[in-house]
Structure formats: C-alpha cells, structure tokens
C-alpha cells in the first residue's frame, strides 16, 4: 500500500531580529557571524505565541489547503523540544483546536530537531497498516539560546504540519521510502528545568550533524539505488546555512537543487520545524513528477531521510494556504530589548 503527503501547512511569526542587532549587544562582529552562519535574521515569537499556537496554525493551514474533514485525522504527533508543559500533551490541544477529537490517538515526541520527521514516520506506519485513515505530523518550536551563546543567533520560531494518508488520489507527494541512522551522541542537551540548552561546540558538527545526515542519506540512496542526479530538489536540516550547503555538496547535490528549501538565511533554525519547513518551501514550487530528497537531523543524535515524488495533485491545493515565501515576507523587525522581552529573557524579581 502506498503512503504519502496529502497536505501540508506552515506558520512563521511575523517578528524578526537581525544578526547585527544581537551582535551589537555582545560585541561580536556581525559580518563575520552572518558570513559564517549564512544567516542574516531569525524569527521571534509574539508574546502570546508558543509551540502549541504555532502547531495549531500550521495544522489548520494543512487542513485548509486540502479542504479535508478533520475528523478523518486519527493520529496526531507533535514533535518539539519546547513543549510548554512538562506533563500535559501539546498534541491533544492541537487535536481539539482542529476538531479531530475524540476518536483518535495523540502523543508528543522529542528528539531535538528531528521530532517532527519522527512523527511523519509514525504516521506512515499507522496509515500504511490501515490502523488510521489520516495522520498529522507536526514539527513546532520556539527554540532557546542563552544570552550571548552562539545559539542565540539562529534559534528561531516556526512550525510545519503534514497530513499523511494512503489514498493515491489524495496524495500531493508519494513517500517512496524512508531510512534512519541513530546513535547515542551527546552533542546537544537540556536537562529538565534548565531554561537553555547546552552544546558541545564544534563537536556538534562532524560527529553529530555530518555523521548522521550522511549516514541516513547514503543509507536511503543505497536502499533505493538512487543518487543525487535522480532528484530535482534536496532539503537538509538547517541549523545554519553552512551545514546543509556543505552536506549537499558532499552528497553531489548542486546549489540550485537546495536553494528553494534553504530558508534558514531569513528564518533561522526552527528546530523540529527546520527540515519540514524546507520541504514545504520546496513543495511550494515543485512540479508534478519532481523528486525531492530530504534528511532531517536531531541532536542526541539521529537523522531521518525521505524520498518524495510529487504528483499532479499539488497544483490543485498549493495556493489554498499561505506559501512559506508569503510567511517570510513583510517582517516586523525588533531591537534586542524587545526581542529579550518576547523570549522571556527579562525576568521580574
């Protein structure tokens, strides 16, 4: 039985802060940072926005785009590393908000930045087995970076939602296969109660990101007997612009193939929504018959690779919800003081 994407939706807060405004506060060189990270600005949540509200908006966009009955959604998984409750699921709130309750299952997932793609795999299994009609997988985050830490320049807010189904006449993209590569690599972590994560600095690169993204990507290509030449587009997890650009080159993908999904330069790293946002931006302009290769990465560490084939259904639903490019347009910029207020970095005694 085939399985694929029936619809997708995204949400990005309208507020932004430029790298130069963060660097100005900490005495860093903005030009060097922007060039090294390949990030110019990042999104900032509004005072009343969190992982839940972002997930709900992305899910509603996905439902609106396909005009489907939300009661058909029988499984919801929300992946995030910034769930607002330690004990209280995000996914049940999303389910209620989109009117998918009560005959359905729901759970929250955590695996750093690949919790959203893990949700897609869980939904694939349920719908492919016939246990669920449709599954909804969401990657949503209001990611954190300690004041003055390197993460502060990229940790952003946003989310993407994917409705997964098994009816070929409904699919906008068939999921040809998926492959995962996972080890216990402590490159990034945050203990319960800690406000900000810690990371292993340069250790997050080779033993973390590159080892796992290459492992999953090569594993899937070997499994399918494909290479970079067989794909029209490619998307990789975007902690910054440098890492996905480098890993794409290592795998043989040209700059042109990753350009449509490389939204990190204007968005920042939306963590669980990062790779999923890139896939959405690519679907926003892909043509029927195009093949998309994608690999999500999560610290800790693991990577999930996917191969998609776009169908002619994409042209019928694409413009029924905002495209990623529309959500990136017309940003409202703020200075560091307002950014700190929005992110809760300023605490009252």
């Amino acid at each position: 039985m085939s399985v694929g994407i029936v619809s997708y939706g995204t949400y990005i807060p309208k507020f932004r802060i430029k790298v130069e405004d963060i660097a100005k506060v900490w005495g860093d060189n903005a030009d060097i940072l922007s060039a090294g990270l390949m990030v110019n600005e990042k999104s900032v949540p509004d005072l009343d926005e969190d992982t839940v509200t972002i997930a709900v908006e992305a899910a509603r966009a996905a439902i609106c785009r396909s005009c489907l009955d939300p009661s058909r959604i029988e499984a919801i998984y929300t992946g995030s590393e910034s769930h607002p409750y330690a004990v209280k699921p995000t996914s049940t709130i999303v389910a209620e908000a989109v009117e998918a309750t009560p005959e359905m299952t729901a759970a929250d997932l955590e695996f750093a930045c690949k919790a959203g793609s893990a949700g897609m795999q869980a939904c694939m299994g349920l719908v492919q087995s016939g246990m669920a009609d449709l599954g909804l997988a969401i990657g949503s985050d209001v990611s954190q970076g300690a004041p003055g830490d390197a993460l502060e320049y990229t940790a952003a807010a946003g989310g993407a939602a994917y409705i997964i189904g098994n009816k070929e006449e409904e699919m906008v993209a068939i999921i040809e296969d998926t492959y995962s590569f996972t080890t216990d690599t402590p490159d990034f972590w945050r203990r319960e109660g800690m406000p900000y994560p810690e990371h292993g600095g340069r250790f997050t690169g080779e033993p973390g990101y590159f080892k796992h993204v290459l492992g999953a990507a090569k594993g899937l290509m070997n499994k399918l007997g494909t290479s970079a030449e067989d794909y029209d587009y490619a998307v990789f997890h975007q902690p910054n612009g440098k890492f996905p650009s480098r890993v794409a080159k290592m795998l043989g993908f040209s700059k042109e193939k990753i350009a449509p999904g490389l939204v990190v330069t204007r968005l920042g790293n939306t963590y669980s929504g990062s790779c999923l946002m890139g896939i959405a931006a690519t679907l926003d302009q892909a043509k029927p018959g195009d093949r998309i290769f994608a690999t999500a990465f999560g610290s800790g560490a693991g990577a999930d690779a996917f191969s998609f084939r776009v169908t002619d259904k994409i042209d019928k639903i694409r413009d029924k919800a905002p495209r990623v490019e529309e959500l990136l347009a017309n940003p409202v910029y703020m200075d560091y003081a307002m950014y700190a207020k929005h992110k809760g970095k300023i605490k009252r005694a």
Side-chain angles (χ1 to χ4, degrees):
M1 182 183 291
S2 298
V3 61
I5 298 169
V6 172
S7 188
Y8 65 99
T10 56
Y11 179 76
I12 299 169
K14 65 180 180 180
F15 294 104
R16 307 282 192 280
I17 184 169
K18 295 182 178 181
V19 166
E20 63 188 71
D21 289 321
I22 300 175
K24 190 184 303 180
V25 171
W26 300 111
D28 293 328
N29 188 309
D31 292 336
I32 293 176
L33 282 166
S34 292
L37 294 171
M38 293 175 62
V39 175
N40 300 316
E41 59 192 54
K42 68 171 190 173
S43 61
V44 182
D46 205 344
L47 291 169
D48 61 350
E49 290 182 320
D50 62 8
T51 291
V52 172
T53 63
I54 289 172
V56 167
E57 291 299 322
R60 285 174 172 167
I63 292 169
C64 180
R65 180 170 260 129
S66 60
C67 301
L68 59 81
D69 180 356
S71 66
R72 291 180 57 196
I73 298 173
E74 297 179 331
I76 295 181
Y77 297 103
T78 306
S80 180
E81 59 181 71
S82 53
H83 290 289
Y85 294 98
V87 181
K88 168 70 174 81
T90 296
S91 295
T92 55
I93 306 174
V94 175
E96 200 72 56
V98 302
E99 300 182 346
T101 53
E103 296 179 9
M104 46 86 68
T105 184
D108 289 356
L109 300 177
E110 292 184 10
F111 196 139
C113 299
K114 84 168 191 73
S117 60
M120 289 180 68
Q121 291 177 324
C123 288
M124 286 174 63
L126 287 172
V127 302
Q128 199 163 29
S129 69
M131 290 180 63
D133 183 5
L134 296 173
L136 174 60
I138 305 168
S140 175
D141 259 306
V142 286
S143 50
Q144 305 296 322
D149 188 85
L151 290 175
E152 192 173 34
Y153 290 100
T154 55
Y162 287 81
I163 298 175
I164 308 297
N166 59 19
K167 297 177 176 61
E168 288 194 25
E169 66 273 14
E170 293 184 332
M171 297 179 197
V172 301
I174 296 170
I175 302 175
E176 297 177 312
D177 214 334
T178 184
Y179 185 97
S180 295
F181 184 95
T182 309
T183 72
D184 182 20
T185 303
D187 57 325
F188 179 96
W189 64 92
R190 178 169 64 85
R191 287 187 177 275
E192 184 69 36
M194 291 174 58
Y196 302 111
E198 297 181 56
H199 55 89
R202 294 186 181 277
F203 185 71
T204 62
E206 296 298 337
Y209 184 94
F210 291 100
K211 175 182 177 179
H212 294 81
V213 171
L214 289 171
K218 290 180 178 179
L220 182 56
M221 287 184 187
N222 289 336
K223 185 178 180 182
L224 292 173
T226 59
S227 68
E229 295 179 356
D230 297 306
Y231 295 93
D232 301 280
Y233 300 101
V235 182
F236 300 96
H237 171 56
Q238 304 168 33
N240 49 54
K242 184 177 182 179
F243 279 19
S245 298
R246 178 182 165 192
V247 82
K249 184 177 181 180
M250 294 169 74
L251 290 165
F253 291 100
S254 66
K255 292 180 180 179
E256 291 74 22
K257 289 186 177 182
I258 66 169
L262 195 64
V263 295
V264 67
T265 57
R266 292 180 291 158
L267 174 61
N269 181 8
T270 53
Y271 283 44
S272 296
S274 175
C275 187
L276 273 57
M277 190 74 72
I279 296 171
T282 304
L283 286 172
D284 283 343
Q285 58 180 276
K287 302 185 300 295
D290 284 346
R291 295 179 80 183
I292 302 170
F293 189 86
T295 307
F297 168 76
S299 290
D304 302 325
F306 298 85
S307 179
F308 303 100
R309 186 184 296 275
V310 181
T311 75
D312 57 7
K313 178 71 174 176
I314 190 72
D315 291 329
K316 299 176 182 178
I317 75 165
R318 182 156 33 205
D319 292 322
K320 292 182 179 180
R323 299 189 186 199
V324 173
E325 190 61 38
E326 294 176 64
L327 296 172
L328 287 171
N330 304 313
V332 177
Y333 292 102
M334 56 175 58
D335 60 19
Y336 191 89
M338 188 59 69
Y339 156 76
K341 178 181 178 181
H342 275 236
K343 291 293 292 178
K345 293 176 186 283
I346 300 174
K347 305 292 185 182
R348 293 182 178 180

